[in-house]
Amino acid sequence: MSLWWWILIAAAVAYATKLAGYLIPRRWLESERALRVAGCLTIGLLASLTVTNAFVSGSSVVLDARLGALAAAAVALLLRAPFLVVVLSGAVAAALLRLAGWG
């Protein structure tokens, strides 16, 4: 099969999955258990994306300025800084580390 067939199959599966979401009874989605599972899945997906973006470049694992930026943002979060301060501390840490020649 060509690449376009796989793309069409993936699009059909995505559409069917979205359609199935409308067919699930509302009481199932509003239950306490479903809300806990959805919350845990969201945190897990966000954590995995953060780790992937922080340590992977292409197909290899790298340790560069992104690691320092992540550490600076984590410290700001631990100090309960506002979101903008967390983002800026990560950006400034990455910039300073790159200026120093690391990454």
Side-chain angles (χ1 to χ4, degrees):
M1 285 173 55
S2 71
L3 177 64
W4 284 108
W5 280 109
W6 287 113
I7 292 173
L8 289 174
I9 290 170
V13 168
Y15 182 75
T17 303
K18 187 170 180 94
L19 185 61
Y22 289 114
L23 300 176
I24 295 174
R26 175 166 283 221
R27 63 183 167 86
W28 289 4
L29 297 175
E30 293 176 348
S31 70
E32 182 65 32
R33 186 177 195 182
L35 292 174
R36 267 186 308 179
V37 169
C40 290
L41 285 175
T42 304
I43 292 168
L45 286 172
L46 183 59
S48 66
L49 286 172
T50 302
V51 169
T52 301
N53 286 329
F55 299 117
V56 176
S57 180
S59 62
S60 60
V61 176
V62 293
L63 300 175
D64 59 3
R66 294 178 293 178
L67 177 62
L70 185 61
V75 168
L77 279 174
L78 287 174
L79 296 174
R80 301 199 180 274
F83 179 71
L84 185 58
V85 174
V86 172
V87 172
L88 287 176
S89 65
V92 168
L96 291 175
L97 288 170
R98 287 189 175 131
L99 184 66
W102 192 46

